[in-house]
Amino acid sequence: MPEQPTPPPLARWLLAARPKTLPLTLSPVIAGLALAVAATGAPAVWTALATLLAAVAIQIGTNLHNDAADFERGTDTDERLGPPRATAQGWLTARQVKNAAHGMFALAFMLGLALLVRGGWPILPVGLASLAAGYAYTGGPRPIAYGPFGEVYALVFFGVAAVGGTYYLQTLTLDGSTLVAGAALGCLASAVLLINNYRDLETDTAAGRRTLCRVLGRERARVLYALLLLVPIPLLMLLDPLHVSWPLLAALPFAALLIRRLWRGTLGPALNEQLARTAQYQALLVGLLILSLLLPATA
């Protein structure tokens, strides 16, 4: 990797933890909480806090493990177009970063035990699967991130599991609308990952990563990206708990701008902004969903 000025210790750990990815974790949990409050009238506050903290711990643990694992596998090379990685730059050792990742996974496990008291045994497989997926994303003999199923992983764990699990922990019930909302927001998490792999297509190919973007090629990946941005709008508009659905249409211009920008041939480091804007689009949809839940039904 190109030599970068050595940041202070706290900044090194923040780079490894990648706090900019946290909205992708928090948005579906907040959506699940909003749907639960619409159903019950009030949140279970301590359960909500534990759910948010557990989700953040899994995300940071996954990011830390990814930082170290990609360095050890030789994926983070001088040609990488994304932000600098702490382990690859030599600011932290792989062992330090992996130990920190294990600490975050352990914290998530402990919070999961507390949530198990609230949600009972049905929540156990979801929690264990989330922890296992966080490790397996770049760990183990066949990492998820190195194959074509990363976007499916994002849809399931950053969408269906996050929204559905949060809703269940609040209400101790689960319905079809919640799972549809999870799938809709999972599409946007998949879109973020797709853009990440679209940006890194050449370096991923050189490193032997067979991502979905590599399987599809750039042209079909752009089509998929457009679908991942557009399909969530009608899915969310069809949810039963909504008082009104028209506020969600306000997301269409933002989606159109993102799609147009990618189709005009944006490549290289400029895709870092596209990635950030896609994550913001997910947060926007969650905000519009909450607005649709709050506005009174029209006569």
Side-chain angles (χ1 to χ4, degrees):
M1 298 287 290
E3 186 174 350
Q4 302 275 346
T6 302
L10 178 59
R12 299 176 209 170
W13 283 107
L14 285 174
L15 281 168
R18 304 178 208 173
K20 289 183 179 180
T21 65
L22 293 183
L24 287 172
T25 299
L26 296 175
S27 291
V29 173
I30 291 170
L33 288 172
L35 290 168
V37 170
T40 64
V45 176
W46 290 108
T47 299
L49 182 60
T51 305
L52 286 164
L53 290 176
V56 167
I58 292 174
Q59 178 64 60
I60 292 177
T62 302
N63 291 342
L64 291 167
H65 194 272
N66 174 250
D67 193 293
D70 276 355
F71 167 72
E72 291 179 334
R73 292 177 182 272
T75 305
D76 287 341
T77 66
D78 292 347
E79 288 74 33
R80 188 177 181 278
L81 300 173
R85 293 289 179 244
T87 312
Q89 294 290 343
W91 298 331
L92 299 167
T93 68
R95 179 176 292 276
Q96 284 177 312
V97 176
K98 281 191 173 182
N99 285 342
H102 296 155
M104 296 307 297
F105 289 142
L107 173 60
F109 180 77
M110 296 302 294
L111 289 165
L113 292 179
L115 292 172
L116 189 62
V117 174
R118 163 70 178 178
W121 293 112
I123 209 67
L124 182 62
V126 176
L128 292 178
S130 298
L131 282 170
Y135 171 79
Y137 185 69
T138 48
R142 301 186 67 178
I144 296 169
Y146 285 67
F149 300 110
E151 283 75 7
V152 176
Y153 157 88
L155 189 151
V156 171
F157 288 100
F158 288 86
V160 178
V163 177
T166 300
Y167 184 90
Y168 177 80
L169 284 166
Q170 289 289 311
T171 66
L172 302 182
T173 62
L174 199 59
D175 60 29
S177 284
T178 307
L179 298 179
V180 170
L185 296 177
C187 284
L188 301 175
S190 295
V192 171
L193 183 57
L194 184 68
I195 285 295
N196 182 81
N197 293 336
Y198 188 93
R199 179 197 64 196
D200 296 337
L201 179 58
E202 285 75 20
T203 53
D204 282 349
T205 300
R209 295 177 69 164
R210 192 170 178 268
T211 63
L212 181 61
C213 189
R214 180 181 173 188
V215 172
L216 295 177
R218 290 200 186 274
E219 184 174 350
R220 285 185 288 181
R222 289 195 294 268
V223 173
L224 177 59
Y225 177 75
L227 290 172
L228 290 172
L229 261 58
L230 294 173
V231 167
I233 297 175
L235 287 180
L236 292 175
M237 291 179 73
L238 292 172
L239 296 182
D240 289 337
L242 297 191
H243 297 151
V244 294
S245 59
W246 57 262
L248 290 159
L249 293 173
L252 277 173
F254 196 177
L257 286 172
L258 290 172
I259 293 166
R260 179 174 179 268
R261 190 167 185 266
L262 187 64
W263 276 81
R264 291 182 67 183
T266 301
L267 290 171
L271 286 169
N272 291 329
E273 182 181 352
Q274 183 85 8
L275 194 154
R277 296 288 179 266
T278 305
Q280 291 168 5
Y281 175 70
Q282 185 198 48
L284 171 65
L285 265 182
V286 171
L288 293 173
L289 173 64
I290 293 172
L291 180 62
S292 295
L293 291 167
L294 291 175
L295 287 176
T298 54

